[in-house]
Amino acid sequence: ISLLVFQINSNASLTVSLAQTPYCKKHRYDPQNPLCAHIIFCGSIVKVNDSEVGLAKKALFSRHPEMESWPKDHNWFFAKFNITNIWVLDYFGGLKIVTPEEYYSVKP
């Protein structure tokens, strides 16, 4: 993401679907069927502060070590997704709203 675009509009969304797993195929659910559940996260991209950079580097580079050697002159920066809205579509009858507080309070 370019720094200029980030400064103009930091809004973002991310959709994750069970169609990305074997679940829907196993149950013969079309990816558009509400039973093939998906969740939509909405919020904004926020540049991490100095106290968070170490954790961000560790999280990113442990999963994508090749990124550590990417050119520094491209002005990369570390950011996080500040989630403000969560919608779950997992059955007929419309979306269910989950607050970020509810989402983060769930114990895995």
Side-chain angles (χ1 to χ4, degrees):
I1 189 168
S2 99
L3 186 55
L4 179 60
V5 171
F6 170 75
Q7 290 171 335
I8 293 172
N9 185 351
S10 64
N11 292 327
S13 63
L14 172 69
T15 299
V16 181
S17 170
L18 281 177
Q20 296 169 268
T21 71
Y23 180 85
C24 295
K25 190 173 186 176
K26 175 183 172 188
H27 289 87
R28 297 188 175 159
Y29 294 151
D30 182 286
Q32 296 302 314
N33 184 328
L35 297 176
C36 185
H38 65 270
I39 186 168
I40 305 162
F41 299 94
C42 297
S44 59
I45 304 297
V46 180
K47 191 172 180 178
V48 299
N49 62 42
D50 292 341
S51 68
E52 298 171 303
V53 170
L55 179 62
K57 283 183 180 182
K58 183 178 178 182
L60 180 65
F61 297 150
S62 67
R63 292 172 181 87
H64 307 284
E66 69 283 357
M67 292 180 76
E68 196 165 4
S69 64
W70 283 11
K72 305 293 184 225
D73 63 348
H74 286 226
N75 298 318
W76 304 109
F77 62 91
F78 291 91
K80 60 185 175 182
F81 189 21
N82 181 24
I83 298 170
T84 55
N85 297 298
I86 303 169
W87 300 310
V88 178
L89 182 58
D90 64 349
Y91 201 72
F92 299 93
L95 294 167
K96 292 162 189 74
I97 297 172
V98 177
T99 67
E101 294 77 23
E102 290 170 320
Y103 178 78
Y104 287 119
S105 71
V106 172
K107 303 288 185 231

